[in-house]
Amino acid sequence: MAIARQVLCLCAFLSVPPARAEPIRYSVAEEAESGSLVGKLAEDAGLTPEQLSARRARLVSEDGRQHFRLDRASGRLVVAGRLDREELCGHSGTCMLPFELLLANPLQFFRVEVALKDINDHSPVFPEEQVIFRIPETSDRGSRFPLEGARDLDIGSNNIQTYSISPENGYFSLSFGSRSEDDKYIELVLEKPLDREEQAEMGFSLIAVDGGSPPRSGTTQVKIVILDANDNAPIFTQELYIGQILENMPEGSVVLSVLATDQDAGVNGDISYQLSQAVGQSNSAFVIDPITGEIKLTKPLDFEDSEHHEFRVRATDGGGLSAICKVLVEVVDVNDNAPELAVSSFSSPLPENTAPGTVVALFTVRDRDSGANGKISCALEDQLFFSLRPAYKNYYEVVTVSALDREEMAQYILTVTAADAGSPPLTTTQTFSVDISDVNDNAPVFNQTSYTMYVRENNVPTVFVGAVSAADADVGLNAKVTYSLAPVETAERPSCSCISVNSENGHVFVLRPLDYEQLRQTEVTVSASDAGSPPLRANVTLRLVVLDENDNAPLVLYPAQDSSPPSSELVPVSAEAGYLVTKVVAVDADSGQNSWLSYHLLRASDPGLFTVSAQSGEVRLRRPVTERDTVKQKLVVLVRDNGKPPLSATAALSALVLKDFSDARLPPSSAATEDEGGSLTTYLIISLVFVSLLFLISTAVFVARKVCKRQELKAGHVLYGGDNLRSGLADAAAAGTLPHAYCYEISLTTGSGNSEFKFLKPILPSLPPQHSAVGQGPDDEQDFPCVPVSAEDMAPDNPGTLSAGHFNTLSFN
């Protein structure tokens, strides 16, 4: 099995078209403008521009930077941005920018190398703007004084070619040359003896000129200070000091020490050291102790930035004589860079019917370290469905090796590990999440076999009552479920237009208010369909149950609560505690606990005088009536049901407390007290005027009738007091003076301060009983219709004839 797999991998690798053996080479000058032509890459690679577009040609470099751009339309390779040879390659003799032309379908590589040619874009630069020499006057002709040469970042003929002195003088000349390929020197040569007494100082310019076209130059000022008698210059023990240091050494670490000696004694033999940094390295990573010559690090080094550092050290004695040595510090690489993995292409999701051998990902690896620290190996962890194979140089491919099944696993997590050969090795991990796309092979499934939802009656339109939910094992559009109401196929169960289902989330809404008394429950069929092709669907039954709600407030039947003024109940002063004043009767259209009613005294003129039975609604006296109680008592009874929340209604009652029902006049003090307790408004004044006018008119009519029938009216009596009223009526009945039905009317006007009791004749057919009432008022007066009373009702053997119940038929104004 293992041999077969190796043969399969070898065949797959050999099926990749090989890369071109020899690279395609071009050259371009640095600082070329963006878009400048480098070469006809498509023609040199044997391709047409149409093939470049069809095969998705692109340029890939190892460091990830794109210095060039491929024009797919023409197949030309052009400059993508600014190219600085000194920045890219430093002082190297050659500057080569390699990259690959990557083609797909099939996979193919072309190695391309572009040589970057140097131009004269840098002038020579001296490390110091002024150099001071302190030269003893005893110096011999031919004495040489070393100078720090200028530095030109260009190479070849564009580098420094000559030095000169300006203005020329007869004391010094220049000598320059090369001891080796990388070691150039420049010296001042004393041409004739110095005399400090003739000239203590002198100065001139040192000019460095390169060989470019046109040439560039750099200048530094040389100042000569002539000293007395210091005839020995310092001498270094070595002309070249070489040191090595690990790149991870901390700041302050000692690199090496330089040593110079001077045969002079005293001040002329005291040597101080000075670091002379090379051009382009102004931010030095080193510092030297001026006394001991010990060179230390000022910041950590990085092998990947620079493999070595070169600088010079000047040793100067107390007399001004100096010597220069060269120091070369080599940075030793350590394994401090983990491998870098860059993904070139990645395909996800994959259809579950993808054939084995399909390329899923293409990536490159590199390590900035060198030697064994930069050698990389890649591995794919524990995968049976994918494998890793090398493609070209440092390119690797992840391919499928067996059939995929999304129902078994919808996603594969591929972990690629790149490790170098350092000690200890460093690793980099790249994770690929490969999603497997689906086909529509699963119908939606509801999470319940049926649904029952509840809604209270009198709901608001479009109220949310619940949600149905169905899941599809597929993904994407195949798993997108939409909901709808399935049409009713049978006539036995008519469709309900009051239910709606949100097609996106399955939320169920009731579109209109429902009445529990009309509809107790209904059923519909909800369908869930996916978006596959063809779509698959499932159905479920939804039952909607309507719940009863306390939506009917109690209705007061008695006393009637219409727009007419409330009736007044008569309460005698002699009534004891528990006396039944009246009874409030109410009903509730709801049922169950929502129809259980309770009665409560909500407000009263004298809350301590009355009590209301919570169950029966009977209004009784809590205590006996006293003369201090107000004549007119107003009560408000609250009728409340047992619903949640409870609903209520109020019944307004009025009760008159009288000393004697036959009293035709109320005490002025009582009327005044009641007036003081009430609110004398404009409506009361208008009512009194209207009642007075009606009273005068009625009095005039009655007087006219009395004048005409004086004899018949002599048999009438005006009674005062309840006992006298009863005895008088009884005597009249026994004497036979009440042969016909009569109407009795008591008119009590609270605002007038007097009352009248009228004992009238039988009601004439021309004047109906309801017209005999006098003084109708909106608030302060109450009218009761007159009713006929026969002589039997007033017989002595019926003492309760004029009880409180009968007084309800009297009219009080």
Side-chain angles (χ1 to χ4, degrees):
M1 185 65 181
I3 296 176
R5 178 172 297 181
Q6 293 177 0
V7 172
L8 179 61
C9 294
L10 179 61
C11 293
F13 178 76
L14 293 177
S15 64
V16 178
R20 179 167 170 166
E22 290 294 329
I24 302 173
R25 293 187 174 89
Y26 299 101
S27 64
V28 64
E30 68 171 331
E31 304 295 341
E33 294 182 359
S34 178
S36 299
L37 176 64
V38 179
K40 298 180 180 180
L41 181 58
E43 180 178 343
D44 296 336
L47 302 171
T48 64
E50 290 78 13
Q51 288 178 316
L52 296 180
S53 300
R55 298 179 65 182
R56 299 193 302 276
R58 62 182 183 272
L59 303 180
V60 180
S61 62
E62 294 181 359
D63 57 0
R65 294 187 294 178
Q66 296 294 334
H67 303 293
F68 304 97
R69 176 169 50 85
L70 177 63
D71 187 356
R72 292 184 180 177
S74 61
R76 300 191 309 167
L77 180 67
V78 297
V79 176
R82 177 176 177 270
L83 298 175
D84 189 346
R85 184 188 184 284
E86 288 71 24
E87 179 183 348
L88 296 175
C89 300
H91 212 65
S92 175
T94 60
C95 183
M96 192 70 65
L97 301 179
F99 57 91
E100 286 82 27
L101 171 63
L102 177 62
L103 301 172
N105 299 324
L107 182 66
Q108 190 174 5
F109 300 87
F110 291 89
R111 178 74 175 182
V112 182
E113 293 179 354
V114 178
L116 195 59
K117 296 185 296 183
D118 182 49
I119 63 174
N120 190 25
D121 58 342
H122 293 86
S123 299
V125 178
F126 286 90
E128 297 176 351
E129 294 182 358
Q130 185 181 41
V131 180
I132 299 176
F133 286 93
R134 292 176 174 84
I135 302 176
E137 62 179 348
T138 58
S139 298
D140 297 333
R141 185 193 306 182
S143 297
R144 295 177 177 266
F145 305 94
L147 286 168
E148 186 72 19
R151 186 71 177 272
D152 194 333
L153 296 179
D154 296 323
I155 62 172
S157 60
N158 294 327
N159 206 334
I160 299 173
Q161 301 297 323
T162 183
Y163 291 89
S164 62
I165 294 175
S166 177
E168 295 184 355
N169 58 72
Y171 288 95
F172 295 94
S173 64
L174 284 177
S175 174
F176 57 91
S178 299
R179 296 188 183 92
S180 63
E181 182 179 356
D182 295 327
D183 188 11
K184 296 181 179 180
Y185 68 92
I186 177 172
E187 295 174 333
L188 282 177
V189 180
L190 184 62
E191 296 294 337
K192 65 179 182 178
L194 300 174
D195 189 356
R196 198 187 69 81
E197 285 70 22
E198 289 183 6
Q199 187 175 359
E201 293 181 359
M202 64 180 64
F204 49 87
S205 298
L206 178 62
I207 302 173
V209 181
D210 62 21
S213 179
R216 292 174 176 264
S217 63
T219 303
T220 185
Q221 298 298 319
V222 178
K223 181 180 179 181
I224 305 296
V225 178
I226 301 174
L227 304 176
D228 285 333
N230 181 24
D231 55 343
N232 289 289
I235 300 175
F236 281 98
T237 58
Q238 298 176 222
E239 291 185 357
L240 176 63
Y241 290 87
I242 300 176
Q244 291 185 338
I245 188 169
L246 297 176
E247 62 175 326
N248 59 353
M249 293 299 290
E251 177 183 348
S253 299
V254 177
V255 180
L256 55 85
S257 296
V258 296
L259 179 62
T261 60
D262 195 314
Q263 295 180 359
D264 295 327
V267 177
N268 293 331
D270 294 334
I271 299 175
S272 62
Y273 300 94
Q274 181 183 3
L275 194 64
S276 179
Q277 188 68 33
V279 177
Q281 297 181 354
S282 58
N283 187 16
S284 176
F286 305 92
V287 65
I288 189 169
D289 189 304
I291 305 300
T292 64
E294 196 174 64
I295 299 175
K296 298 181 181 180
L297 288 178
T298 60
K299 60 182 179 180
L301 303 179
D302 191 351
F303 174 84
E304 286 70 36
D305 291 341
S306 179
E307 298 182 8
H308 63 271
H309 297 265
E310 180 181 336
F311 52 90
R312 285 173 171 78
V313 175
R314 178 186 294 272
T316 305
D317 62 15
L321 298 180
S322 62
I324 296 176
C325 73
K326 183 178 179 181
V327 178
L328 180 64
V329 178
E330 296 178 351
V331 182
V332 179
D333 183 36
V334 295
N335 191 24
D336 59 343
N337 290 282
E340 298 176 2
L341 191 149
V343 180
S344 299
S345 65
F346 175 58
S347 300
S348 179
L350 290 177
E352 60 180 340
N353 57 354
T354 299
T358 302
V359 177
V360 179
L362 177 67
F363 61 91
T364 61
V365 291
R366 75 183 186 112
D367 196 310
R368 298 178 62 190
D369 295 322
S370 61
N373 297 332
K375 293 182 180 180
I376 305 173
S377 61
C378 295
L380 183 65
E381 298 179 0
D382 300 332
Q383 286 297 326
L384 300 177
F385 300 94
F386 300 87
S387 65
L388 184 67
R389 68 185 184 191
Y392 169 76
K393 292 183 64 175
N394 56 343
Y395 283 85
Y396 290 85
E397 291 178 338
V398 177
V399 298
T400 60
V401 295
S402 60
L404 306 175
D405 189 357
R406 197 205 69 83
E407 281 68 35
E408 292 183 1
M409 183 171 293
Q411 185 184 61
Y412 292 89
I413 306 298
L414 309 180
T415 302
V416 176
T417 302
D420 59 26
S423 180
L426 299 179
T427 61
T428 296
T429 300
Q430 176 69 39
T431 299
F432 297 93
S433 297
V434 182
D435 296 322
I436 309 302
S437 59
D438 185 49
V439 295
N440 190 26
D441 57 349
N442 291 281
V445 178
F446 284 93
N447 59 358
Q448 296 180 211
T449 56
S450 64
Y451 292 85
T452 301
M453 299 181 184
Y454 301 88
V455 62
R456 292 189 176 276
E457 65 173 339
N458 302 319
N459 58 283
V460 297
T462 67
V463 65
F464 172 77
V465 294
V468 297
S469 178
D472 196 308
D474 298 322
V475 294
L477 290 177
N478 296 332
K480 180 176 176 58
V481 180
T482 56
Y483 304 88
S484 62
L485 292 178
V488 179
E489 299 179 356
T490 61
E492 299 178 358
R493 192 178 68 183
S495 61
C496 178
S497 62
C498 62
I499 298 177
S500 174
V501 178
N502 188 299
S503 61
E504 296 295 330
N505 51 30
H507 288 183
V508 180
F509 300 89
V510 177
L511 301 180
R512 56 181 174 84
L514 301 180
D515 192 350
Y516 174 78
E517 288 72 21
Q518 296 181 3
L519 180 67
R520 299 294 179 89
Q521 69 178 22
T522 183
E523 288 186 358
V524 295
T525 300
V526 179
S527 175
S529 175
D530 61 24
S533 179
L536 302 178
R537 61 174 48 87
N539 295 332
V540 71
T541 300
L542 168 64
R543 183 175 66 173
L544 180 66
V545 178
V546 183
L547 302 178
D548 189 22
E549 191 176 27
N550 187 26
D551 57 340
N552 292 285
L555 176 63
V556 178
L557 301 179
Y558 182 83
Q561 301 297 307
D562 51 12
S563 58
S564 62
S567 60
S568 299
E569 309 293 341
L570 299 180
V571 179
V573 177
S574 60
E576 299 295 332
Y579 177 81
L580 175 63
V581 178
T582 185
K583 179 177 181 179
V584 179
V585 180
V587 294
D588 195 309
D590 294 323
S591 61
Q593 291 187 356
N594 294 332
S595 63
W596 295 355
L597 302 181
S598 60
Y599 303 83
H600 310 276
L601 182 60
L602 180 63
R603 187 169 60 252
S605 300
D606 187 355
L609 184 58
F610 300 93
T611 182
V612 178
S613 174
Q615 302 299 327
S616 64
E618 294 179 348
V619 181
R620 297 179 180 271
L621 293 179
R622 184 186 297 272
R623 58 174 175 78
V625 178
T626 64
E627 294 182 356
R628 294 191 302 272
D629 294 327
T630 305
V631 174
K632 189 172 184 179
Q633 298 283 342
K634 293 184 178 181
L635 299 85
V636 178
V637 177
L638 176 68
V639 183
R640 183 168 57 198
D641 61 24
N642 199 33
K644 291 183 179 179
L647 301 178
S648 61
T650 58
L653 304 174
S654 179
L656 293 178
V657 180
L658 300 178
K659 293 181 180 180
D660 198 335
F661 292 128
S662 62
D663 192 358
R665 187 180 302 274
L666 290 175
S669 60
S670 300
T673 303
E674 184 177 358
D675 291 342
E676 292 174 359
S679 174
L680 296 179
T681 62
T682 303
Y683 295 103
L684 180 58
I685 297 174
I686 297 173
S687 299
L688 293 176
V689 173
F690 182 72
V691 169
S692 299
L693 291 175
L694 291 180
F695 178 76
L696 293 176
I697 295 172
S698 300
T699 303
V701 173
F702 292 148
V703 169
R705 287 182 177 275
K706 283 184 180 182
V707 172
C708 295
K709 297 181 181 182
R710 181 180 298 275
Q711 295 300 327
E712 295 178 0
L713 295 175
K714 289 181 180 180
H717 300 275
V718 178
L719 305 177
Y720 295 89
D723 297 334
N724 294 335
L725 178 61
R726 294 189 187 96
S727 62
L729 294 176
D731 295 340
T737 60
L738 296 175
H740 305 288
Y742 280 77
C743 177
Y744 306 94
E745 179 175 340
I746 296 178
S747 179
L748 301 179
T749 305
T750 60
S752 63
N754 57 57
S755 302
E756 291 182 356
F757 179 87
K758 288 172 284 187
F759 186 62
L760 305 179
K761 275 195 65 167
I763 300 173
L764 300 177
S766 61
L767 184 62
Q770 59 270 23
H771 292 169
S772 63
V774 180
Q776 295 180 355
D779 297 317
D780 300 298
E781 300 172 337
Q782 300 293 333
D783 294 339
F784 291 84
C786 297
V787 297
V789 182
S790 63
E792 288 78 10
D793 294 332
M794 300 183 183
D797 56 350
N798 192 7
T801 300
L802 294 179
S803 63
H806 284 80
F807 279 93
N808 289 337
T809 64
L810 302 180
S811 175
F812 291 82
N813 296 319

